[in-house]
Structures are given as structure tokens and as C-alpha cells.
Amino acid sequence: MTQGAVDQALAGQASMTSNTTKYVYFFGGGAADGNGRMKDVLGGKGAGLAEMTNAGLPVPPGFTIQTDACREYMRGASNADMNAEMLIALERLERLQGQKLGQGENPLLVSVRSGAKFSMPGMMDTILNLGLNDHAVEALAKLSGNPRFAYDSYRRLIQMFGDVVLEMGKKKFEHIFDTIKEREGVKYDYELQPQALKDVIVEYKKLVKKETGKEFPQAPLEQLVAARDAVFRSWNNDRAKTYRRINHIDDWLGTAVNVQAMVFGNLGENSGTGVGFTRNPATGEHVFFGEYLMNAQGEDVVSGVRTPLPISELERVMPRVYEHLRSITWKMEKHYRDMQDFEFTIQDGKLYMLQTRNGKRTGLAAVRIAIDMVREGLITQEEAIFRVEPNQLYDFLVPRLVEKGAKVEVLATGLPASPGAAVGQIVFSAEDAVKFHNNGTYRTIILVRGETTPEDIAGMEVAAGILTSRGGMTSHAAVVTRGMGKCCVAGAGECVVNEAKKELTVKGHIYKQGDWISLDGTTGRVIAGQLKTLPAQPDDPDLVKFMGWVDPVRRLKIRANADIPRDAKQARLFGAEGIGLCRTEHMFFAEDRIGHVRDMILADNEKDRRAALALLLPMQRADFEGLFETMESLPVTIRLLDPPLHEFLPQRDELLVQIARLEETKPRSSKLKELRILLARVEELHEVNPMLGLRGCRLGITFPEITEMQARAIFEAAVNVKVRGGDPHVDVMVPLIGSIEEMRHQANIIRRIASEVFKEKGSTVEYLVGTMIELPRAALTADQIAEEAEFFSFGTNDLTQTTFGISRDDINHFLPAYMKAGIFKHDPFATLDQAGVGLLVKMATAKGRNTRPTLQVGICGEHGGDPESVKFCHKIGLNYVSCSPFRLLTARLAAAQAALQELQGGDIHTNS
Ligand code: ADP
Ligand code: MG
Ligand code: MG
């Protein structure tokens, strides 16, 4: 191709391509075709490289093959145009560098790097030193005067190429390498002499031939094309797919491929490579933070083979380079107006930037950085509100490790499965955990397992934290601990757990039962020894300040689900503006009550039932008084008895065993007679499908005296508190309504009891009677139901259950298959299904308000604390969401973000 043709094509004339897509974007020589805003096209890495090039920073030149090409590759479409553009870009790179790929006395070598729109650290593949072959390695040895470096680079290429492109895995290469290291008696890779490295190369090439039937490709262009395609394919490796599923990243986005001139950190003691952050990603502290290694390449820093040095050390060793790095990274931070995570390489004393991106950070750091950046004038207060992910605020509500001044030896990094911190003594089985907890041998226990199973629940319950060596973010350990609000590090692959021998081997240490370790579930780190912990800090000054910006912005009110005064107090501390759901049955399980509850259920006539209820009345009344007092004048929504009655009775199997035993020992005892009556009643109440059985308002309709007792307890409590100077706001909520007739039946009882109580006490309180909408029929007839109901609260757990026809308790049997097949993107019980269940919510709200414009509408249930679902609730104009106390901060922030997005005219980001 002539120079003119090249230039013409580069100018975007596309004279030789048949469509208008531009596949390849060049960067280098002081300018780039693309820029930092083009993440969709160039991927995050490519956009960053372009942006840095445009800013005049020292970036090795190269080109980015855009994400369209990946999508076409995955579809199996023709790639002739892309190939042609790639060759033009390669020539341009060769001209700029005055080198030829893998040829001549000064061969050009490149890296082939993946990079998608959203960063997926370490999930896809990168190949370094591409272009090396038997010839080029000799040229490189001669040119650099450093044969060790040249052979080391070549053996790295064969290994990476074998692993990523030829899909041979790493193990066999590592085995060869280790064998030769051992033979030579050296500990570190860089200690191997040139001849030994040559031997490694010979063995590597033999291995490639043996495994693939072909020689390691010597033609540089063949290497390049194969590597590019392998990077495209790495988009769909299992790691990447799992990562996308957890992080809700679309599968069709695809990755870009960056081909970039190599710079060498492994050229000797004047070279090196490192990674860093412009601020501390764990605490947010405004300090330069990072690690590096001299005489190293690529992933050596993070691979754990050698221990990297703190970046401050670089200031001592190479002060000029250090200063340069600092000024560049500060400039980048200012430019991007966010904390940067960067990668650099020093070749013979000269600094090169290889990557920059907005750095991932803990919730603590996110809040601190947002506040600092507002103070520094980098961002506005409104921008700050978007700099924190709602879920990250959870970090403030769980304990954390005290690292300042402590010796922190990170043993392994697994998945941050459940946030918080735990410091304790390790045990290797659930039984041991229970035993040593109960006999007090260990004060705090960390349960260490390969992975956990449902049988381990009891052990998990008593443990302060869980560590597993296998399993992902949705493994049993991860899911269960998040539910328990307990710290968990899952899938820490570097930890070898021998459950039989009761040993944990990691980083060359062997830990035995009773040894101390520290876990950080927020970052996934496993740390040696016994660090101190700081308790949760909902009153952290940074957090308080941040929430002070958040709250005035939102329109949605945030209430809490709380059943007892203790939880209500906690909820107020975390900012609840009322109780959206008090489940009265939770009070029924207390030891002093369950007996009366059973008497009530077992009664075979109304008189006996009323007698039992009369005993429960004062207890419920006292509970409600506590709640009203704690919540002062905030609304308290109390739901009448909801679950099927047999939940309060002993299990049938247990009864049978007890009866059998008594028949043996005391066949004439009155206890036996009692148990037989109990068994008969248990069998009577048995339901095939209790979730769809005698529960919710069906209880209060079958046994009106239950509703009467609960209503009386509520109103007597409210009046009592009012008489003492309080100002209770009571919402009485009837569960599982499906028709206006049911609603009217229960509302009549409630209103009658209210006026009776008010008359008796000579005082009144304001109250509302409303319902949960949790059956599709209720949603469909919401206009009618609103004639009686003064508020709606969507019970989205049950509504999801009844709309999908999926039992919440059984979904785990098929959820994994549904997620894998892409039928569900999320667990519908965790994130509201907007298209179906959400539509019912929206429709019922409109119908209800049509009948009763003042209708108060909210949701309660798990979805009330899920950011996407909260944003949806804002969008469709609900009055409030109610969630568990620990989700309150998250819900408050999500609601504020939704309100701001709406103001800014942007689409509210939801998952629909
Ligand atoms: P990841 O996305 O997994 O971080 P990268 O594409 O950033 O993968 O590559 C990993 C590492 O390889 C980089 O941090 C850098 O150290 C090294 N590397 C990549 N390209 C080059 C290059 N052109 N010259 C020198 N080192 C490189
Ligand atoms: Mg990188
Ligand atoms: Mg329900």
C-alpha cells in the first residue's frame, strides 16, 4: 500500500471499506482518534489511553479495535474491513516507532489488551511481548545488551500465548518453570540466568507442539491476529460471565482490544512497574497510594510472587520519576474529577502511563472522597451524591478493621461476599463452632470452610465471620451471611482448607484450630493475626454531613420495618421517618406468650378463644405503647396477624415422637392425653399449601375475635400514650386482601373497636385503616378496595410470589438455572420485576388514587432497600418505601439520586 493510500484511509475516507463503521482508533504521536468519553466504543481502557495521549502524557502509542468488532466476531460476521483497518494502523504504529513488528534489528513488540466499557479487573486477558520469535529475541538481546531480559520476555510471551490463545492453561508452563528454577537453585524468577531461560523456552515450545500439534507461531502477524481474537473470546470466559452477572453488566457489550507498543519494566534495576491510586481506596484519605516492583513486568506486582514495595519507597529510589508520576496522576485526577486508579511502567528511568480509570473504593472512602472533592472545588454537592453507590453506605453500619498503626499482612484476597469485619479464632466445622461457642473456649469464632452448605447454618449463626476458599458472590456462604448481616470472605482461592486435618494453609503459613485471623468482608481480604475492630459508626461525621446533602433532595419518604422498640430505636438512628411494617406475629413467639397463642389456636369454641386472647391483650398493648413512644409523632403501620396458625404449633413429627415415647413410659398420663389433642388439632390445621391457605385477613374473618383483640390493643395503647402527652400516628394494616368485601369486613371491626375504645377512654387518636396489596386480584380491583382502604402498602415479597406463581422458599431450586439461561437477570425477590410486578404496583396506585386522591402509597418488603427498586418507586410516584433498618441509608441515598436524575431531565436509571 502506498503512503498516500494509508493516509487517505487514516483520514477516515474509508475508501477501501464497504461500510461506514470505523473499527480502529489510533493513539500516539501526541494525539488520538478517540477520547475519554468514548467508553462505549473504545472500552474504558481504550478511552483512557486516548484521553491520556491527547493530554500529552507519556503513553506508549498504539491502536484500539473497537467493541463493534468484538460483537461482530461473536456473531461470526466477516471481519475483512476490520482486518484492513488494523493493518493500516499497525503500519502507522511501525512508522511512528521506526520499527517493524517482530522484525529487524530493533523489532517492535506490542501488548494486546482487553478493555470493556465497564472495568472488569482481571476478568479478561492480556498478552505481553507479542512479536517475539526465535529471531526477534536474539535481536532484542543484542540491542538491549541484556539477554536475560530478552529471553525472559520471550518465555513470558509463549506462556501467556499458550494460556490465553491456545487455551492450554497455566499449570504445565508453571511446572516447567518451577522445575528449572529448582534445578538452578534460585528462588525468584529474575535470578534465572540466560542459559536457563533458554532452556525454559525450549521446553515451552516442546509443550506447545505436544499439546496443540503445531509449533508456536513465529510469524508476528499470525500471533497478532490470534491474540486479538482470543481477547475477543475472553469476553465470554466463565470468570467474565460470572462477574457480569454479579455486577449487572450486559452480555452483549463486548470488549475492545488495545494493541500497544511495549515498554519494559523488566529491563534491569533502573526499570520497574507499578499500580496506584490518587487517594486511599479503603479510607478515602487524600494520600498517594500504591505499590511497585523494580525489574518486573505486567502482573508481577499483583501476582504475589514477590512482595511489592510501597510507592513512597520510589520517592527515595527515583525521586525524579516519583515526582513526575505524582504530578501526572494529580493532573489526571483533576481532569477526570475523580479518584484515579493507574498503572505505570518505568523503562530505563523513563516513566510511561499504561492505564487510568476511576478507582473502585469502599463505601467509607466513597463518602470521604466525595466530601473532600466538594471542599476542594472539584465537584458540586449534587455530583457528590452520585459518587457513592447506595449499597456502599452499608459499610458504615457494620464493624471495620483498625489498620492505622497495625501490622497488616494480607494473606489472601477473596470475594467481598458480605461486608463488615471479624476478628476471631478459626474452627473448621459447624459442630466445632457450636461446641466451642457454647463451652466458651473461644470468644469470637471464624468458621473456615471449603464452602458452606445448609447443614452449616448453626455454626454460621455462632461465628463472627465466615471464610471459604471456594464459591462466588452468590454461593451459600455469601447469601446466608448477607442475610445475617455477618462478615464473609468467599472464594479465597489462595487459602487451602483441609477440613479433615483442621488446617488452613495460605502464603506458606499453616493455621490450626484456635489460631487468630482477621477478615475484611468489605474488601475481601484475609489478614494475619488479631487486628482491632471499630464498631459500626452511623454517627461518623463524614456520613452525617453527606446524608445532610442527600435528605433534602429526595421526595420519597423512607420508613423502616421494625417489630419491637429496640429495632425502632435503631431505625430512628438510621433516619427512619416512620414504621412502614410492624409484624405483630413476631411478638407472639416470645416465651411468655407462645403458650397463650397456642391456647387460642387450640380452643374449639369462641369462649375459650376469647379467654386466651384476653391474656394476650395486655402484652400486645404494652408492645405497641413502646413502639408509639419510640416513634413519637411519626407514623406507625401495624399489620394484623398474617401467617398460617400452624406456624405457632409444634411440628407434627416432633409430636409423634413425644407421643410414642409417652405411650411406652406413661401410657395413662394426662400429658399424653393433652399431646393427642394437640396432634389432632395440628393435623386439622395442616395445609397442603399454607402460603395460599388460612392466613392474612382470612384469619380475622374466620376468627373475628383475633382482629378485635389486636385492634383493641392498638387503640388502647395509642390512647394511653396520648394521655401521657404523646402524639401517636396509627395506621392499621390488613394483610392479604383480595376483595373489597374482605376489606370492608375487617375495616368495620377495626373502626367499631376504635370508637368503643375512644368512648371508654374518653379520648381519641387519629388513625388510618388500610391494606397490603399483595395479591394480583387486589391490584386489579384497587379502585374498589380504595373505597375502604385509606392507604396501600405493597407487600412486594408476596406480590412477587403470587404474580410469578413462585414460592419464595423454593426458588433456589431453579433460580441458578434461570440466571444461567438469562431468563432472570436478577432474583425477583431481591430486585423488583418492573415489567410485571412493577406494572401491577403502578396500575393499582393509579386506580387507588383515582378513587381516593389522598391515598397514601408505599411498599414494604425486601425491595424497599434495593436501590433499583427504590428508584422505580420514586419514578411511579409512591409516597414512601419501607425497608429493614440496615437498608435505610441505602434507600435514602437511592431516593435522592432518583429525584436528582429526574430534575436533571435524565432517565432514571433502572433495570427495566
Ligand atoms: P488488566 O485489565 O487485567 O489490568 P492490562 O491490559 O492492564 O490488563 O495489562 C496488565 C498489565 O500488563 C498492565 O498493568 C501492565 O503492567 C502490563 N502492560 C500492558 N500493556 C503494556 C505495554 N504496552 N507495555 C508494558 N507493559 C504493559
Ligand atoms: Mg490494567
Ligand atoms: Mg405478605
Side-chain angles (χ1 to χ4, degrees):
M1 192 184 306
T2 66
Q3 188 57 53
V6 171
D7 286 342
Q8 198 183 1
L10 288 175
Q13 302 301 312
S15 59
M16 42 181 301
T17 55
S18 55
N19 70 21
T20 49
T21 308
K22 178 175 163 62
Y23 288 102
V24 179
Y25 287 74
F26 197 83
F27 56 90
D33 297 349
N35 61 53
R37 291 182 304 280
M38 297 174 68
K39 283 190 190 175
D40 280 319
V41 179
L42 304 178
K45 199 180 288 164
L49 290 169
E51 188 85 352
M52 287 198 289
T53 303
N54 285 331
L57 300 180
V59 177
F63 52 87
T64 304
I65 306 171
Q66 64 130 307
T67 51
D68 254 348
C70 177
R71 291 193 286 272
E72 287 174 17
Y73 177 85
M74 291 190 291
R75 275 206 309 273
S78 147
N79 56 6
D81 296 342
M82 182 251 293
N83 267 324
E85 280 190 49
M86 184 181 88
L87 291 180
I88 294 170
L90 178 61
E91 271 187 52
R92 182 172 170 189
L93 180 62
E94 289 177 336
R95 237 179 322 119
L96 184 68
Q97 295 289 91
Q99 295 172 301
K100 286 263 175 208
L101 183 65
Q103 293 173 41
E105 287 176 1
N106 179 9
L108 171 68
L109 305 182
V110 295
S111 62
V112 178
R113 317 171 64 188
S114 58
K117 176 176 178 184
F118 300 106
S119 80
M120 299 164 49
M123 294 300 131
M124 291 182 299
D125 296 315
T126 285
I127 296 154
L128 304 181
N129 311 327
L130 190 129
L132 276 176
N133 53 26
D134 293 351
H135 153 79
V137 71
E138 298 303 335
L140 191 65
K142 204 156 147 213
L143 185 79
S144 64
N146 186 345
R148 199 210 70 79
F149 148 72
Y151 297 127
D152 183 52
S153 303
Y154 193 23
R155 71 95 196 159
R156 284 176 192 257
L157 170 65
I158 303 174
Q159 179 164 347
M160 275 186 261
F161 197 91
D163 175 24
V164 174
V165 183
L166 306 173
E167 298 178 16
M168 296 163 55
K170 291 192 183 70
K171 282 244 162 59
K172 289 184 176 146
F173 289 108
E174 278 166 2
H175 179 71
I176 291 174
F177 197 59
D178 289 343
T179 309
I180 292 184
K181 261 164 73 180
E182 210 165 293
R183 187 191 80 193
E184 299 291 310
V186 304
K187 182 161 175 226
Y188 293 113
D189 298 4
Y190 61 87
E191 293 170 331
L192 276 183
Q193 293 307 305
Q195 187 50 50
L197 285 164
K198 271 181 156 170
D199 293 345
V200 173
I201 291 166
V202 169
E203 291 302 319
Y204 274 12
K205 281 169 40 184
K206 271 196 212 149
L207 179 68
V208 169
K209 178 82 199 282
K210 184 168 147 240
E211 297 271 314
T212 67
K214 285 198 221 130
E215 300 288 347
F216 173 76
Q218 293 288 314
L221 210 52
E222 185 187 342
Q223 292 178 0
L224 178 60
V225 169
R228 176 199 67 196
D229 292 351
V231 170
F232 283 154
R233 284 197 301 277
S234 73
W235 174 256
N236 275 330
N237 70 32
D238 286 342
R239 278 191 323 239
K241 279 205 257 187
T242 309
Y243 186 90
R244 288 200 291 275
R245 202 174 59 228
I246 295 166
N247 292 285
H248 307 316
I249 298 173
D250 283 325
D251 280 328
W252 57 266
L253 286 170
T255 181
V257 176
N258 301 284
V259 178
Q260 186 178 29
M262 283 298 300
V263 287
F264 298 99
N266 54 340
L267 208 49
E269 281 312 314
N270 213 10
S271 302
T273 185
V275 298
F277 295 87
T278 51
R279 303 182 190 224
N280 185 318
T283 63
E285 223 182 323
H286 195 161
V287 289
F288 200 55
F289 188 83
E291 294 182 325
Y292 77 106
L293 271 178
M294 295 313 276
N295 200 3
Q297 185 175 48
E299 308 294 328
D300 292 358
V301 177
V302 285
S303 72
V305 181
R306 282 159 66 190
T307 308
L309 304 167
I311 200 92
S312 50
E313 191 68 11
L314 186 66
E315 184 172 18
R316 219 174 42 77
V317 189
M318 301 182 114
R320 233 174 19 85
V321 170
Y322 177 81
E323 268 320 308
H324 193 193
L325 181 64
R326 253 179 100 122
S327 81
I328 285 179
T329 53
W330 278 5
K331 251 188 239 155
M332 292 191 316
E333 186 184 271
K334 239 180 156 157
H335 178 73
Y336 284 104
R337 303 188 310 132
D338 201 353
M339 184 263 264
Q340 296 296 296
D341 163 356
F342 55 86
E343 298 174 3
F344 64 94
T345 283
I346 304 161
Q347 174 175 316
D348 244 342
K350 181 165 167 23
L351 175 69
Y352 292 92
M353 298 308 297
L354 290 174
Q355 191 172 336
T356 191
R357 60 184 165 207
N358 295 342
K360 296 212 188 298
R361 65 205 76 175
T362 64
L364 306 177
V367 169
R368 168 112 187 234
I369 290 171
I371 288 178
D372 283 351
M373 286 193 164
V374 170
R375 194 184 307 121
E376 293 159 22
L378 273 178
I379 58 174
T380 65
Q381 213 164 289
E382 283 192 359
E383 284 174 305
I385 291 175
F386 288 98
R387 290 294 172 86
V388 181
E389 294 268 352
N391 279 326
Q392 287 186 311
L393 290 178
Y394 194 75
D395 292 0
F396 285 93
L397 306 182
V398 291
R400 46 184 130 140
L401 297 175
V402 180
E403 298 187 42
K404 224 177 177 154
K407 185 172 163 284
V408 177
E409 187 195 348
V410 178
L411 296 172
T413 304
L415 296 167
S418 181
V423 176
Q425 289 168 282
I426 59 174
V427 304
F428 293 87
S429 75
E431 298 93 82
D432 284 347
V434 173
K435 184 172 89 196
F436 293 125
H437 170 81
N438 288 347
N439 68 19
T441 312
Y442 302 139
R443 210 155 22 87
T444 53
I445 289 172
I446 291 186
L447 178 61
V448 180
R449 305 283 294 163
E451 60 198 330
T452 61
T453 64
E455 283 96 81
D456 293 332
I457 289 288
M460 296 171 78
E461 199 85 60
V462 299
I466 316 284
L467 167 64
T468 68
S469 60
R470 296 189 300 273
M473 289 295 282
T474 51
S475 63
H476 178 264
V479 172
V480 171
T481 48
R482 280 199 294 271
M484 292 174 169
K486 193 165 281 190
C487 152
C488 174
V489 173
E494 299 121 290
C495 294
V496 179
V497 179
N498 188 328
E499 285 160 9
K501 278 174 81 180
K502 304 193 179 183
E503 268 178 16
L504 162 67
T505 311
V506 58
K507 245 196 174 179
H509 303 276
I510 296 180
Y511 288 88
K512 293 191 186 311
Q513 180 174 296
D515 288 346
W516 287 86
I517 61 168
S518 305
L519 296 183
D520 182 346
T522 309
T523 60
R525 292 172 309 159
V526 183
I527 294 166
Q530 194 178 357
L531 261 60
K532 287 203 175 67
T533 54
L534 217 62
Q537 297 197 329
D539 49 1
D540 177 291
D542 284 343
L543 177 68
V544 170
K545 180 161 188 180
F546 182 73
M547 296 313 285
W549 296 345
V550 164
D551 285 328
V553 170
R554 68 184 156 84
R555 185 180 67 215
L556 268 184
K557 295 269 178 205
I558 311 293
R559 299 189 189 177
N561 300 344
D563 310 326
I564 52 173
R566 192 192 64 213
D567 291 352
K569 275 199 195 89
Q570 178 114 76
R572 289 205 67 180
L573 196 65
F574 298 165
E577 295 161 304
I579 290 179
L581 175 63
C582 162
R583 302 169 169 96
T584 49
E585 60 270 17
H586 282 193
M587 306 169 171
F588 280 20
F589 284 104
E591 229 168 292
D592 55 337
R593 312 181 179 186
I594 187 75
H596 302 316
V597 175
R598 282 184 184 160
D599 289 345
M600 166 190 88
I601 298 170
L602 294 173
D604 53 9
N605 60 72
E606 191 184 322
K607 191 170 141 267
D608 289 354
R609 197 171 310 112
R610 282 192 185 275
L613 283 166
L615 294 172
L616 284 169
L617 174 73
M619 299 175 176
Q620 286 238 299
R621 187 174 55 217
D623 292 331
F624 294 143
E625 284 181 20
L627 275 184
F628 295 144
E629 268 161 6
T630 309
M631 297 310 288
E632 300 182 29
S633 57
L634 297 170
V636 177
T637 312
I638 297 173
R639 179 180 70 183
L640 301 182
L641 192 62
D642 183 42
L645 291 182
H646 63 67
E647 280 193 14
F648 303 101
L649 296 180
Q651 299 267 313
R652 182 173 175 272
D653 293 350
E654 270 170 37
L655 279 177
L656 284 174
V657 171
Q658 282 181 23
I659 288 171
R661 202 173 293 138
L662 283 179
E663 278 169 345
E664 284 274 301
T665 52
K666 296 178 186 154
R668 258 176 251 285
S669 65
S670 61
K671 175 84 183 160
L672 179 60
K673 218 168 125 194
E674 239 173 68
L675 286 180
R676 283 196 174 125
I677 296 170
L678 190 58
L679 177 66
R681 187 71 177 140
V682 166
E683 282 176 342
E684 241 173 68
L685 283 172
H686 173 78
E687 290 175 318
V688 176
N689 213 332
M691 270 299 155
L692 304 175
L694 177 59
R695 57 169 291 216
C697 68
R698 298 161 197 168
L699 289 168
I701 291 170
T702 312
F703 308 113
E705 48 282 11
I706 296 181
T707 303
E708 285 173 16
M709 181 282 281
Q710 289 203 292
R712 178 164 283 278
I714 292 168
F715 291 116
E716 287 183 357
V719 173
N720 289 350
V721 169
K722 186 175 176 191
V723 168
R724 292 202 289 270
D727 178 29
H729 277 72
V730 189
D731 295 352
V732 185
M733 181 154 78
V734 186
L736 214 74
I737 287 288
S739 71
I740 170 72
E741 290 79 10
E742 287 171 325
M743 185 67 218
R744 189 171 293 135
H745 181 282
Q746 291 291 288
N748 283 344
I749 298 178
I750 295 162
R751 295 201 175 103
R752 173 169 53 81
I753 298 289
S755 43
E756 278 174 28
V757 171
F758 296 162
K759 206 146 132 219
E760 288 161 23
K761 299 252 176 192
S763 175
T764 64
V765 291
E766 276 178 40
Y767 70 96
L768 300 176
V769 182
T771 181
M772 288 185 93
I773 305 281
E774 46 191 341
L775 296 175
R777 196 182 187 285
L780 292 167
T781 60
D783 48 346
Q784 296 172 24
I785 290 173
E787 286 168 21
E788 283 293 338
E790 295 165 300
F791 67 89
F792 285 173
S793 175
F794 290 92
T796 51
N797 295 344
D798 263 314
L799 190 58
T800 299
Q801 187 158 251
T802 52
T803 302
F804 276 99
I806 291 176
S807 148
R808 193 180 351 158
D809 302 314
D810 298 316
I811 190 171
N812 282 331
H813 294 299
F814 53 90
L815 185 62
Y818 269 54
M819 297 288 269
K820 208 162 162 213
I823 295 169
F824 282 167
K825 279 219 160 137
H826 319 269
D827 175 348
F829 291 103
T831 298
L832 191 74
D833 158 51
Q834 295 174 18
V837 180
L839 182 64
L840 281 176
V841 174
K842 195 172 156 181
M843 190 193 74
T845 302
K847 276 173 167 277
R849 286 192 180 144
N850 210 13
T851 304
R852 185 189 291 272
T854 58
L855 189 79
Q856 288 289 303
V857 184
I859 70 164
C860 56
E862 296 302 304
H863 300 109
D866 169 66
E868 291 299 329
S869 311
V870 172
K871 289 182 182 181
F872 176 76
C873 292
H874 169 93
K875 196 164 80 173
I876 63 169
L878 299 196
N879 300 96
Y880 69 89
V881 299
S882 187
C883 58
S884 78
F886 280 91
R887 308 297 307 174
L888 281 164
L889 294 178
T890 298
R892 284 158 70 193
L893 178 54
Q897 289 182 349
L900 274 178
Q901 271 161 340
E902 189 183 67
L903 274 181
Q904 292 162 0
D907 229 5
I908 295 172
H909 175 71
T910 61
N911 69 346
S912 59

